[in-house]
C-alpha cells in the first residue's frame, strides 16, 4: 500500500543491491557491509509497484550457508554504504591458497544483454534481472590483465562499458588499467571475452596502488584522480598469515604526495604526460566531468585530507551505534563538493599565471617552475560535516557533457538523513527530509517527454533502522523541486542498500 500516484509512464524495475543476511549459523556478521548480497527489485507497471528480493548466491554465501561459519576474510568492520570491500583480494589471484571474496555487494550494471552484480574484486556475478537468480560467476582475469575493477563503470550509449582497476605493469610495478568491454556482439558471443585494456596509467608509487573507487570520462578523455590513500601490499600479505587480521590495517596514507590528476585520450589510449597536482583528498565518487573550450571540468565529492575516511566509519556499527558514528565524524576528514578545472594546453603559458580562462568558474591552475600544474578547486557545496555523497545525474543525456544538476544523498555526521539536489552552476540546493528516515542513493529517471535536464523523478529507498522499526518504503520525488510524488510501503524490513540502477 502507499500514498500519492505513481507516474503511469514509470515502467521497468529498480534493481538495488545491499547486504541482507546478518547472521550465518551462530556467528553474526557484525558489520553491515559484510552482510551477504541481497538483490531488491521494485517493478513498476501501470502505476503499481511490486517488491521482490532474493540472495545473490555467490560462492562466499553458499560456503557460509553450508559450513555455518564465515570462511573467507571479508573486508573488516565497517558500517557504511559503499563497502569497497575486498580491494586487496584482486592482487592475490597470484598467490595460491588465498581465496578471493566474491560477495557481490556493491552495484549492478548491464554488459551487452546481461546484468552483472559486482564488488571491487575481479569476480562479477551474472544475474537474471527478471527472477534475480544467479546465473554464473565470471572471473575478469581470464580476459584481461587486471586485478579487480571498480563498482562504478561508465556505460556509453552504444553499450560499451569502461572500468578501471590495478594491474602489475612493466617490471612488476603497479599501474592502473582502463578496460573497455564492447557492446552486445552481432554473433551473440559474450562481450566480456572481447574486453581490452585501452590505456595503462602509471602509479605514483611502484609498490603501493592508491585506493580507486570511480573515475571520470568525457567525450574524448579519461580522468583518473590518484589520492594519497594507499594500499600496502606487503602489509596485506603479512596480514594473511595472522589469523583474523583485517583488511583495514593494510591502508596507509602518503602524507606528502597530495593528489595527482591523470588524463588519457579515450580513442587512441594515450597517457598525457602532464603533472596535475592538488592538495590531499579522499575521493569515492565522481559526479561528472566534461570538456569546454580546451579545459576539462571535473566535479567530485571529496573529503579533505590524507587520512582514510573509512578508518572513522568502521569503528562504529550502523545498526546500533549512531552516536558513535556521529562522534567519529567530529574528527574525520570534512566533506566538500569541488570543481577542478584542468587546462589541456599547458605548453605555451608562462609559469605563475592562472591558466583557466572559463568565464564561469573560480577554479585555477598554475604552472610551477618544475612543470607541475597546481590546481585549486571551486567549492560547489560545503557545510560542516554535511556531505553531498552518492551523487547521480541525468546520466543518459549528460554524462561527460556540460550539465547543471546533481542529485545526492545528504550525510549529516556520516548519517544519511536527506536527499539533496544541487545546481552546479548557481550552487542552489533543494532538500527532502523527514524525521527518523534514512534514504539511499537517489536514482534519476527522466520522464518520457522530458525537455529539460531535470524533467523526471528520483527513486530512493527509505528505511528506519532505529528502535521504532516501521517498514521501509520506496519514495518517488519530483526531480525539479524534490516534492513527494508517491511512496509505496513494503511490509518487510529492508536493510540499507548501496548502489543500484533503473532498468527500463
Amino acid at each position: 500500500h502507499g500514498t500519492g500516484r505513481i507516474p503511469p509512464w514509470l515502467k521497468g524495475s529498480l534493481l538495488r543491491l545491499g547486504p541482507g543476511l546478518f547472521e550465518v549459523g551462530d556467528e553474526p556478521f557484525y558489520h553491515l557491509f559484510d552482510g551477504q548480497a541481497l538483490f531488491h527489485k521494485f517493478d513498476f507497471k501501470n502505476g503499481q509497484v511490486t517488491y521482490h528480493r532474493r540472495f545473490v548466491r555467490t560462492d562466499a554465501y553458499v560456503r557460509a550457508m553450508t559450513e555455518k561459519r564465515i570462511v573467507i576474510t571479508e573486508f573488516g568492520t565497517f558500517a557504511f554504504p559503499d563497502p569497497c570491500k575486498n580491494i586487496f583480494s584482486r592482487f592475490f589471484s597470484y598467490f595460491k591458497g588465498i581465496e578471493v571474496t566474491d560477495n557481490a555487494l556493491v552495484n549492478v550494471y548491464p554488459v551487452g544483454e546481461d546484468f552483472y552484480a559486482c564488488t571491487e574484486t575481479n569476480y562479477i556475478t551474472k544475474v537474471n534481472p527478471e527472477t534475480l537468480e544467479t546465473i554464473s560467476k565470471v572471473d575478469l582475469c581470464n580476459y584481461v590483465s587486471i586485478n579487480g575493477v571498480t563498482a562504478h563503470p561508465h556505460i556509453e550509449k552504444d553499450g560499451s562499458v569502461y572500468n578501471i582497476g590495478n594491474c602489475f605493469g612493466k617490471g612488476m610495478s603497479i599501474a592502473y588499467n582502463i578496460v573497455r568491454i564492447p557492446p552486445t556482439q552481432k554473433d551473440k558471443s559474450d562481450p566480456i571475452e572481447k574486453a581490452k585494456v585501452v590505456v595503462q596509467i602509471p602509479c605514483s608509487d611502484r609498490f603501493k596502488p592508491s585506493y580507486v573507487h570511480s573515475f571520470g570520462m568525457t567525450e574524448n578523455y579519461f580522468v583518473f584522480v590518484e589520492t594519497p590513500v594507499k594500499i600496502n601490499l606487503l602489509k596485506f600479505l603479512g596480514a594473511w598469515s595472522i589469523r583474523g587480521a583485517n583488511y583495514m590495517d593494510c591502508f596507509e596514507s602518503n602524507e606528502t604526495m597530495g593528489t595527482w590528476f591523470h588524463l588519457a585520450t579515450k580513442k587512441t589510449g594515450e597517457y598525457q604526460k602532464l603533472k596535475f597536482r592538488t592538495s590531499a583528498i579522499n575521493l569515492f565518487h565522481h559526479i561528472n566531468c566534461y570538456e569546454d573550450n580546451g579545459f576539462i571540468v571535473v566535479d567530485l565529492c571529496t573529503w579533505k585530507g590524507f587520512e582514510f575516511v573509512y578508518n572513522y566509519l568502521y569503528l562504529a556499527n550502523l545498526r546500533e551505534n549512531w552516536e558513535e558514528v556521529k562522534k567519529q565524524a567530529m574528527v574525520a576528514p570534512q566533506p566538500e563538493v569541488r570543481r577542478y578545472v584542468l587546462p589541456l594546453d599547458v605548453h605555451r603559458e608562462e609559469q605563475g599565471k592562472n591558466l583557466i580562462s572559463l568565464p564561469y568558474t573560480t577554479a585555477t591552475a598554475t604552472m610551477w617552475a618544475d612543470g607541475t600544474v597546481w590546481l585549486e578547486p571551486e567549492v560547489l557545496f560545503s557545510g560542516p560535516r554535511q556531505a553531498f555523497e552518492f551523487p547521480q545525474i541525468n546520466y543518459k543525456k549528460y554524462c561527460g557533457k556540460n550539465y547543471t544538476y546533481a542529485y545526492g544523498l545528504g550525510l549529516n555526521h556520516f548519517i544519511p538523513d536527506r536527499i539533496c539536489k544541487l545546481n552546479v552552476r548557481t550552487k542552489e540546493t533543494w532538500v527532502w527530509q523527514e524525521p527518523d528516515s534514512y534514504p539511499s542513493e537517489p536514482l534519476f529517471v527522466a520522464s518520457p517527454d522530458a525537455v529539460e535536464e531535470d524533467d523526471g523523478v528520483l527513486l530512493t529507498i527509505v528505511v528506519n533502522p532505529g528502535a521504532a522499526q516501521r517498514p521501509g518504503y520506496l519514495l518517488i520525488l519530483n526531480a525539479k523541486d524534490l516534492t513527494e510524488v508517491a511512496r509505496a510501503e513494503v511490509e518487510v524490513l529492508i536493510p540499507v542498500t548501496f548502489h543500484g540502477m533503473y532498468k527500463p
Side-chain angles (χ1 to χ4, degrees):
H1 59 283
T3 53
R5 183 166 164 267
I6 291 161
W9 53 262
L10 201 57
K11 290 181 176 50
S13 309
L14 171 63
L15 299 172
R16 303 217 53 124
L17 194 57
L21 206 71
F22 301 115
E23 294 189 17
V24 175
D26 305 326
E27 291 186 50
F29 274 85
Y30 287 106
H31 318 301
L32 196 50
F33 299 102
D34 289 340
Q36 299 291 341
L38 174 64
F39 239 133
H40 304 273
K41 180 165 164 259
F42 292 85
D43 286 324
F44 304 96
K45 201 171 170 187
N46 312 327
Q48 299 292 308
V49 184
T50 48
Y51 170 71
H52 313 269
R53 60 184 193 171
R54 164 171 264 151
F55 283 102
V56 178
R57 292 183 181 274
T58 60
D59 288 0
Y61 170 77
V62 172
R63 207 176 288 121
M65 292 314 271
T66 50
E67 301 184 19
K68 288 286 185 284
R69 59 196 181 84
I70 297 148
V71 193
I72 300 175
T73 309
E74 293 282 9
F75 182 74
T77 44
F78 38 152
F80 208 62
D82 225 356
C84 323
K85 290 154 43 99
N86 34 40
I87 291 159
F88 309 97
S89 45
R90 46 174 118 167
F91 290 104
F92 297 105
S93 30
Y94 296 98
F95 302 98
K96 296 229 176 349
I98 294 181
E99 294 200 60
V100 176
T101 305
D102 67 340
N103 194 354
L105 253 182
V106 192
N107 214 338
V108 192
Y109 62 96
V111 174
E113 307 282 292
D114 301 318
F115 283 81
Y116 286 89
C118 64
T119 51
E120 302 184 330
T121 56
N122 44 303
Y123 288 109
I124 56 179
T125 303
K126 189 165 161 183
V127 287
N128 176 334
E130 299 309 320
T131 63
L132 305 185
E133 281 182 68
T134 303
I135 301 170
S136 65
K137 182 166 113 170
V138 176
D139 181 353
L140 284 175
C141 291
N142 296 341
Y143 304 108
V144 282
S145 132
I146 182 171
N147 308 307
V149 286
T150 72
H152 294 283
H154 276 294
I155 299 164
E156 289 189 311
K157 282 200 172 53
D158 69 357
S160 306
V161 175
Y162 290 88
N163 213 331
I164 189 167
N166 305 98
C167 62
F168 287 110
K170 293 191 187 71
M172 282 305 272
S173 60
I174 292 289
Y176 308 94
N177 275 345
I178 292 179
V179 172
R180 176 178 181 268
I181 302 175
T184 311
Q185 307 290 303
K186 291 215 169 43
D187 60 6
K188 292 282 182 261
S189 65
D190 188 343
I192 284 186
E193 294 174 11
K194 307 227 168 30
K196 290 232 174 358
V197 173
V198 190
V199 62
Q200 189 165 99
I201 293 170
C203 179
S204 59
D205 179 321
R206 50 176 304 205
F207 298 115
K208 294 174 187 171
S210 290
Y211 169 69
V212 189
H213 193 84
S214 66
F215 67 105
M217 196 168 83
T218 68
E219 272 172 73
N220 301 295
Y221 291 90
F222 298 115
V223 180
F224 168 52
V225 181
E226 190 178 18
T227 71
V229 175
K230 292 289 186 183
I231 296 164
N232 186 327
L233 298 180
L234 297 171
K235 263 194 206 162
F236 178 71
L237 280 176
W240 277 102
S241 53
I242 310 153
R243 200 183 158 281
N246 118 16
Y247 281 149
M248 291 300 290
D249 305 334
C250 310
F251 285 112
E252 57 184 44
S253 295
N254 180 319
E255 299 183 4
T256 54
M257 71 172 273
T259 300
W260 298 19
F261 280 68
H262 300 272
L263 284 181
T265 57
K266 203 159 108 184
K267 294 193 179 58
T268 53
E270 286 167 83
Y271 176 68
Q272 309 287 294
K273 291 188 171 65
L274 297 167
K275 294 201 299 206
F276 294 111
R277 303 286 184 267
T278 190
S279 53
I281 54 171
N282 276 224
L283 168 67
F284 301 98
H285 299 118
H286 275 253
I287 303 175
N288 198 12
C289 46
Y290 61 89
E291 298 159 46
D292 188 356
N293 285 304
F295 299 97
I296 293 186
V297 177
V298 183
D299 292 351
L300 307 172
C301 295
T302 68
W303 297 80
K304 299 192 259 190
F306 51 73
E307 270 196 307
F308 195 26
V309 174
Y310 279 142
N311 294 350
Y312 294 91
L313 288 174
Y314 101 128
L315 299 169
N317 182 321
L318 194 63
R319 279 174 302 162
E320 279 123 16
N321 210 335
W322 297 83
E323 289 318 305
E324 189 55 37
V325 174
K326 287 180 182 158
K327 263 215 300 280
Q328 292 299 330
M330 293 307 292
V331 289
Q334 286 262 24
E336 197 160 77
V337 179
R338 293 180 166 187
R339 166 166 287 181
Y340 290 90
V341 181
L342 285 57
L344 287 168
D345 188 9
V346 292
H347 312 293
R348 305 186 304 274
E349 310 292 350
E350 303 135 66
Q351 65 193 60
K353 286 204 174 117
N354 173 26
L355 308 181
I356 308 300
S357 55
L358 288 178
Y360 54 81
T361 183
T362 60
T364 61
T366 316
M367 171 79 85
W368 288 359
D370 66 358
T372 299
V373 179
W374 184 262
L375 307 173
E376 287 290 345
E378 172 180 7
V379 175
L380 301 183
F381 175 82
S382 191
R385 296 163 195 91
Q386 304 298 307
F388 175 99
E389 258 291 349
F390 301 93
Q392 289 283 324
I393 58 169
N394 181 339
Y395 187 91
K396 276 205 173 81
K397 286 218 171 91
Y398 289 89
C399 177
K401 298 186 173 66
N402 196 333
Y403 74 118
T404 308
Y405 300 109
Y407 310 94
L409 182 57
L411 308 181
N412 172 5
H413 293 73
F414 290 143
I415 292 166
D417 69 351
R418 59 196 187 276
I419 296 293
C420 307
K421 175 184 182 179
L422 171 65
N423 179 325
V424 297
R425 297 172 196 251
T426 65
K427 304 184 174 57
E428 186 182 356
T429 56
W430 294 258
V431 170
W432 175 90
Q433 189 168 30
E434 272 183 18
D436 297 323
S437 301
Y438 305 102
S440 65
E441 164 195 60
L443 295 182
F444 175 83
V445 182
S447 49
D449 48 1
V451 180
E452 291 173 320
E453 180 182 339
D454 58 353
D455 283 341
V457 294
L458 296 180
L459 306 179
T460 178
I461 295 168
V462 183
V463 294
N464 173 16
Q469 284 206 323
R470 299 193 307 277
Y473 57 94
L474 170 82
L475 177 67
I476 303 178
L477 301 175
N478 183 339
K480 282 260 181 253
D481 56 5
L482 302 200
T483 52
E484 183 171 324
V485 176
R487 63 175 70 185
E489 291 208 345
V490 173
E491 289 310 319
V492 287
L493 298 172
I494 307 178
V496 180
T497 57
F498 308 139
H499 301 294
M501 65 175 289
Y502 174 75
K503 174 182 177 277

